[in-house]
Every structure is written in C-alpha cells, then in structure tokens.
Amino acid sequence: MAPRRLLLLRLWLVATIGVVAAIAGSAWWWEKQLPGKLQQAAQEGDLEACLNYGEQLSALRWLGSGAPEEQALCRRRQAEILWNDGQSSAALKLQTQLIESGLGNAESQQQDRDRLALWQEQLRNRALVLFRDGDLEKALETLSPLTPASSPGSSALSDTLKETWNRNRLNHERIKELVEAERWWEALDSLNRLDHPWWQQQAKSQRQTVETAIAELRATEEHQQHGESGPDVIAGPELDTAVQSSLDAGNDPWDAFLSACDQLGGRVVEDGPESFCRRISDGSP
C-alpha cells in the first residue's frame, strides 16, 4: 500500500505543478501580447480598450518594469474627455493616477501636474461663483471631487462656505425679528454684519425699512426739541459717529447709545417711548 500511496502523491504533485505552470505560462504569454494590443488600441483611439489593457499589463508586470508610454497617453486623453464631458470626479481620479504612475518624461509629468492643478482651481472658482449666487448645496457638490489627499485645503474651503452661509442665515433671521420689534439701530448693526452678496440681497427690503425709520427718527429729533431741553439735546452726526464707534468696539446698541451720550458729556433722558441724549449743564436737574 505504501508504494501505491507514494505513487499517487507523486502524480498529484506532478499534476499540480503542471496546472501552475500552465497558468503561469498563459499569464506570461498574455503579458507579452498586451503591449502590442495596448499600442494598437492607442493608435486606433480606442481609449476604453487602451485603459483596460494598461491595467492588465500593470497587474502582470512581474519584472518590475513600468507600463509603456501608451498607457499614459490613454489615461491623459481619457481624463481630458471626462473633464470636457463634465465628469470632473472621474477626470480628477484618472489624472491623479496618471501622475502617481510616474510615466513620461519630466516635461510631460510637469504638464500633467499643471493640468490637475488647473482643473482643481477651476472647480474651486465654480464653487465660489455658485456660493455667491446663493446655491450652497451646488457649491459643496462641485467641491466634492476635491479630496483632501489630492487637493489640500479643499475640506477647509467647504467648511468656510458652510460657516459663512449659516452665520448670514442666522443674522438674517435676527434682522427680521428686530425689524418687527422696531429696534432700528440693532437691526442696522445686524444688517451691516451681513457679508454674503446673496443674503445682502435677501435683506434689501429690511434695509430700506430700517434706513427709512432711522431717517424719520432723526428728523423728529431735529424738529421736536421737547421744550426747554431743546438746546441741550445732543443729536445728529456727532452722536451717530460716537454710537457707531461704540458699536464697532463690540457693545450692543443700547449700551453703545449710553456710552456715546456719556462720552459727549450728556446723559440719556427718557420721554415716553423716546430716549434722547441731553447735555449736562450746571443747571441741569
């Protein structure tokens, strides 16, 4: 039984080695065919076949030699076609693979890197235009192909757009509340804090309302001097400038009014629903 078992083992080893050798031989033979097929596909402009053959050739390169120049040519052309068709994500991925492959001479490699950088910059510019036009979602979608690995800073740009958008959105909601409450100076301060063109346009009607109301208040202050207190009233550009300086320093509107009045040598007097700044004199109560 032992010789028979040994014979079977030998037969199994021979068969196994034969199968492995056949597979290896077939792979070796196909590897030798691929360069010609890849070159033919490149010459015929069959980019899909060219890319397919190139990927197979890269996988079968056992001796460590790089893929031929035809593979780089196919990737380069296909990336340009994808970019022109609006498939930016696929185009950037393929262009990145081309650069990482290291195919081509120094000049062509630099051109490939420049093309990738140009496409990335164009995407960022498109996203900024969409963002300024008020389409945050489309802007973020445009930036999505820019991965942090291929485009450092792309994530930071997306975060900045979202932060700016949300800050302006919340500020606009507060403006509407302040206008409804007729808190004109606070509303004006919030309006001046809007720094996004689309949200500034959305708040255009509120700004007109606020500026009209403030103009009417100033006109009332000029013509209604409240009897003997009239000559002592501090108002107009002098008070407005002081109030704005206090607002710029970070004070809220009411504290800014109090601080400005005190700075100009006055004190705030309330007369019904109105408040005004009256200069302090020796005879003042």
Side-chain angles (χ1 to χ4, degrees), residues 144-165:
S144 61
L146 300 177
T147 61
S150 64
S151 179
S154 58
S155 178
L157 178 58
S158 297
D159 292 341
T160 298
L161 296 186
K162 288 186 285 189
E163 189 276 332
T164 301
W165 181 269

Side-chain angles (χ1 to χ4, degrees), residues 30 39 55 63 77 100 136 174-175 188-189 196 246 252:
W30 182 242
Q39 185 175 12
E55 294 299 331
L63 299 179
R77 290 179 178 175
E100 292 175 347
L136 174 65
R174 175 167 172 77
I175 289 169
L188 181 61
D189 179 57
H196 187 286
S246 185
D252 62 52

Side-chain angles (χ1 to χ4, degrees), residues 7-22:
L7 177 62
L8 291 175
L9 179 60
R10 288 177 177 176
L11 290 175
W12 178 82
L13 288 174
V14 170
T16 301
I17 293 173
V19 171
V20 172

Side-chain angles (χ1 to χ4, degrees), residues 153-223:
S154 58
S155 178
L157 178 58
S158 297
D159 292 341
T160 298
L161 296 186
K162 288 186 285 189
E163 189 276 332
T164 301
W165 181 269
N166 289 329
R167 185 181 67 251
N168 279 267
R169 177 180 58 81
L170 294 173
N171 202 14
H172 185 250
E173 292 177 359
R174 175 167 172 77
I175 289 169
K176 291 190 291 186
E177 295 174 356
L178 293 171
V179 169
E180 291 178 1
E182 297 185 358
R183 295 160 63 179
W184 308 121
W185 288 105
E186 293 177 75
L188 181 61
D189 179 57
S190 295
L191 282 164
N192 291 336
R193 294 179 187 273
L194 291 175
D195 57 1
H196 187 286
W198 190 82
W199 284 108
Q200 289 171 345
Q201 182 64 28
Q202 299 305 303
K204 186 176 181 179
S205 61
Q206 283 92 1
R207 177 173 287 278
Q208 292 175 344
T209 300
V210 169
E211 290 178 347
T212 299
I214 290 177
E216 292 176 351
L217 286 176
R218 287 172 175 169
T220 301
E221 290 177 357
E222 292 176 359
H223 294 93

Side-chain angles (χ1 to χ4, degrees), residues 110-128:
Q110 185 60 50
Q111 290 175 349
D112 291 335
R113 288 191 291 269
D114 292 342
R115 183 178 294 109
L116 178 62
L118 175 62
W119 288 352
Q120 292 171 339
E121 184 64 22
Q122 288 179 356
L123 281 184
R124 284 189 286 268
N125 290 337
R126 290 178 192 173
L128 290 175

